[in-house]
């Protein structure tokens, strides 16, 4: 990769949408998610010359998105609230899917932040345990145990609501 501007632009073009989705899953609203991702890329650009392994720039940005999302959630100090719109089939199907999705999203946001991050990175972003470990800056074993605990907790929450 060449200079910082072209390298960061290339990375942005290839990964901004996925990182936006990650931020949206974490913070719950599009405007804040966009700000989180922009801040992460701005930070990467500013630190480009000090980046030791430029092949890991995506990992750096992904970690920055998670860290900035945590900061947003801490500053809010209030529960997550988001409206997720499912695809439209029939009125009945739309209502059922919307309710299921709402319940899962609410349950997901009742989990501790680290557990939610692990599940979103694994099942929404489709990352490997190693990639999740890099993004969360934890060991691979921690990712596995956190994901396992998160699935168990999410299952409990969803079963309690039925």
């Amino acid at each position: 990769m060449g200079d910082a501007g072209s390298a960061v632009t290339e990375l942005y073009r290839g990964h901004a949408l996925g990182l936006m989705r990650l931020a949206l899953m974490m913070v719950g609203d599009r405007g804040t998610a966009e700000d989180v991702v922009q801040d992460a890329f701005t930070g990467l650009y500013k630190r480009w010359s000090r980046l030791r392994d430029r092949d890991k720039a995506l990992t750096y940005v992904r970690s920055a998105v998670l860290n900035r999302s945590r900061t947003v959630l801490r500053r809010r100090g209030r529960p997550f609230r988001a409206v997720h719109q499912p695809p439209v089939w029939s009125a009945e199907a739309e209502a059922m899917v919307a309710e299921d999705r709402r319940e899962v999203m609410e349950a997901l946001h009742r989990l501790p932040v680290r557990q939610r991050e692990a599940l979103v990175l694994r099942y929404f972003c489709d990352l490997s345990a190693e990639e999740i470990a890099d993004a969360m800056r934890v060991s691979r074993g921690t990712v596995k145990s956190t994901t396992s605990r998160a699935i168990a907790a999410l299952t409990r929450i969803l079963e309690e609501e039925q």
Side-chain angles (χ1 to χ4, degrees):
M1 291 186 170
D3 68 332
S6 62
V8 173
T9 299
E10 181 182 329
L11 194 65
Y12 183 85
R13 285 184 182 143
H15 299 282
L17 183 58
L19 292 169
M20 268 286 299
R21 289 177 178 154
L22 169 61
L24 182 60
M25 291 291 292
M26 296 306 299
V27 300
D29 70 272
R30 185 179 179 156
T32 303
E34 289 172 351
D35 291 344
V36 163
V37 171
Q38 289 297 328
D39 289 348
F41 276 99
T42 300
L44 174 63
Y45 177 78
K46 288 178 181 177
R47 291 170 186 81
W48 188 259
S49 64
R50 294 179 298 215
L51 204 59
R52 280 187 237 158
D53 187 354
R54 293 184 178 164
D55 290 335
K56 293 191 177 187
L58 178 58
T59 300
Y60 172 88
V61 174
R62 193 178 287 131
S63 293
V65 167
L66 288 175
N67 288 334
R68 284 167 172 77
S69 295
R70 288 181 203 130
T71 299
V72 165
L73 294 172
R74 261 193 315 274
R75 286 183 181 156
R76 279 184 184 165
R78 63 182 198 267
F80 171 85
R81 294 283 180 246
V83 177
H84 297 276
Q85 298 298 324
V88 178
W89 299 294
S90 68
E92 294 83 14
E94 181 180 358
M96 290 173 57
V97 169
E99 182 62 20
D100 288 347
R101 204 171 268 180
R102 184 193 60 75
E103 288 175 5
V104 171
M105 289 304 296
E106 286 181 3
L108 184 65
H109 283 274
R110 287 174 54 193
L111 296 175
V113 174
R114 290 287 188 173
Q115 288 183 4
R116 180 171 61 241
E117 288 173 1
L119 289 182
V120 169
L121 290 169
R122 175 66 187 100
Y123 296 103
F124 185 76
C125 297
D126 200 28
L127 299 182
S128 69
E130 188 172 323
E131 291 169 318
I132 296 168
D134 288 344
M136 293 177 66
R137 296 183 179 158
V138 297
S139 72
R140 205 167 155 228
T142 298
V143 169
K144 289 181 177 186
S145 64
T146 301
T147 302
S148 177
R149 284 193 306 274
I151 290 170
L154 190 62
T155 302
R156 267 192 314 278
I157 292 168
L158 290 170
E159 286 173 352
E160 289 170 2
E161 291 179 357
Q162 292 185 5

